[in-house]
Amino acid sequence: DVKVTQSSRYLVKRTGEKVFLECVQDMDHENMFWYRQDPGLGLRLIYFSYDVKMKEKGDIPEGYSVSREKKERFSLILESASTNQTSMYLCATIRLSGHTEAFFGQGTRLTVV
Amino acid sequence: AQKITQTQPGMFVQEKEAVTLDCTYDTSDPSYGLFWYKQPSSGEMIFLIYQGSYDQQNATEGRYSLNFQKARKSANLVISASQLGDSAMYFCAMREGGTGGFKTIFGAGTRLFVKA
């Protein structure tokens, strides 16, 4: 069974803190994604990566950075957390061979106070 | 820039009836794929159906079918014989192909309410 695991289900951080959200997949997929989900806005793409050390900006990269040092791990970094980054964060991978499908982690609910 | 539009923030349907959820997209990439996902109140993302831009036939998966109209750039989801358990958020998504990765974006979603 395929698995995408996010390190935390809930996080509370203070304004200005550096925050790391970790995502690990066990499917050997090249493409990994970070989204944030807010009511009425759907899922918005922050960053994605198509290979180790390769990254591309999504639609809302400001205030975020990412790291992909190993194929199975994709980290989202909030350099200096702000209250407007309070959101649900979802990590995903995509399988492109055979039956195309995207797989999601369980999500991290981040609250910045 | 690629874009996904779901114009229906909410939809109601009577149990056992069919319902169509709208999705339009915009891309200049000739190779792309379209997904539909269901998100119940538990928050998990459940894959429903996928359509590739070069697929000749509309995709079907059980009670779900994708009405793919390439010229109109629409990829509507049709749910037949609605069930109470179909009440959820539904997201349309598109991925583009390319050497620089497969950027995948989502629409704002449609909340479906199934009435008994």
Side-chain angles (χ1 to χ4, degrees):
Chain A
D1 202 16
V2 298
K3 215 164 199 176
V4 180
T5 304
Q6 294 182 227
S7 53
S8 304
R9 192 85 168 100
Y10 299 96
L11 272 180
V12 180
K13 296 292 182 180
R14 295 194 181 280
T15 301
E17 277 192 80
K18 191 168 186 175
V19 181
F20 293 85
L21 302 183
E22 306 284 347
C23 176
V24 178
Q25 53 113 349
D26 65 357
M27 294 164 283
D28 202 38
H29 292 165
E30 280 91 18
N31 290 267
M32 297 186 73
F33 307 82
W34 274 106
Y35 299 91
R36 63 177 283 177
Q37 183 176 11
D38 301 287
L41 298 177
L43 282 71
R44 291 182 291 166
L45 180 64
I46 305 171
Y47 267 96
F48 69 103
S49 168
Y50 54 92
D51 203 349
V52 174
K53 298 191 185 296
M54 305 304 288
K55 60 186 179 184
E56 291 287 341
K57 292 179 180 179
D59 296 324
I60 52 163
E62 297 78 19
Y64 303 94
S65 62
V66 291
S67 172
R68 187 136 180 232
E69 297 296 320
K70 293 184 177 181
K71 192 175 186 180
E72 66 270 19
R73 186 180 297 270
F74 191 35
S75 303
L76 179 69
I77 303 155
L78 286 67
E79 297 291 342
S80 177
S82 63
T83 54
N84 62 12
Q85 292 178 309
T86 291
S87 186
M88 172 67 84
Y89 289 86
L90 291 165
C91 174
T93 73
I94 187 170
R95 176 178 66 200
L96 294 162
S97 58
H99 182 80
T100 300
E101 185 174 342
F103 300 89
F104 285 83
Q106 76 277 29
T108 296
R109 170 76 61 186
L110 173 67
T111 303
V112 183
V113 298
Chain B
Q2 54 170 199
K3 195 175 175 184
I4 290 278
T5 303
Q6 293 180 254
T7 57
Q8 306 152 314
M11 287 280 287
F12 286 88
V13 65
Q14 195 68 40
E15 191 180 11
K16 299 180 186 176
E17 291 185 352
V19 63
T20 298
L21 306 184
D22 295 342
C23 174
T24 59
Y25 60 92
D26 186 27
T27 181
S28 56
D29 193 330
S31 174
Y32 56 90
L34 298 151
F35 302 85
W36 276 93
Y37 277 82
K38 173 184 177 182
Q39 188 181 47
S41 57
S42 59
E44 62 186 306
M45 294 288 282
I46 301 169
F47 169 79
L48 295 179
I49 199 165
Y50 172 80
Q51 177 91 38
S53 59
Y54 294 120
D55 293 343
Q56 294 297 312
Q57 293 190 321
N58 286 348
T60 59
E61 293 279 354
R63 293 187 299 113
Y64 305 106
S65 61
L66 200 153
N67 184 1
F68 182 45
Q69 298 191 36
K70 199 169 183 177
R72 292 186 176 184
K73 294 190 173 179
S74 75
N76 298 340
L77 177 71
V78 180
I79 305 174
S80 63
S82 298
Q83 301 172 357
L84 295 178
D86 293 336
S87 293
M89 280 291 288
Y90 288 82
F91 292 100
C92 179
M94 175 176 69
R95 68 111 188 112
E96 289 181 331
T99 54
F102 292 86
K103 184 178 181 181
T104 303
I105 62 167
F106 285 73
T110 296
R111 184 166 293 280
L112 178 66
F113 300 90
V114 180
K115 299 181 290 184

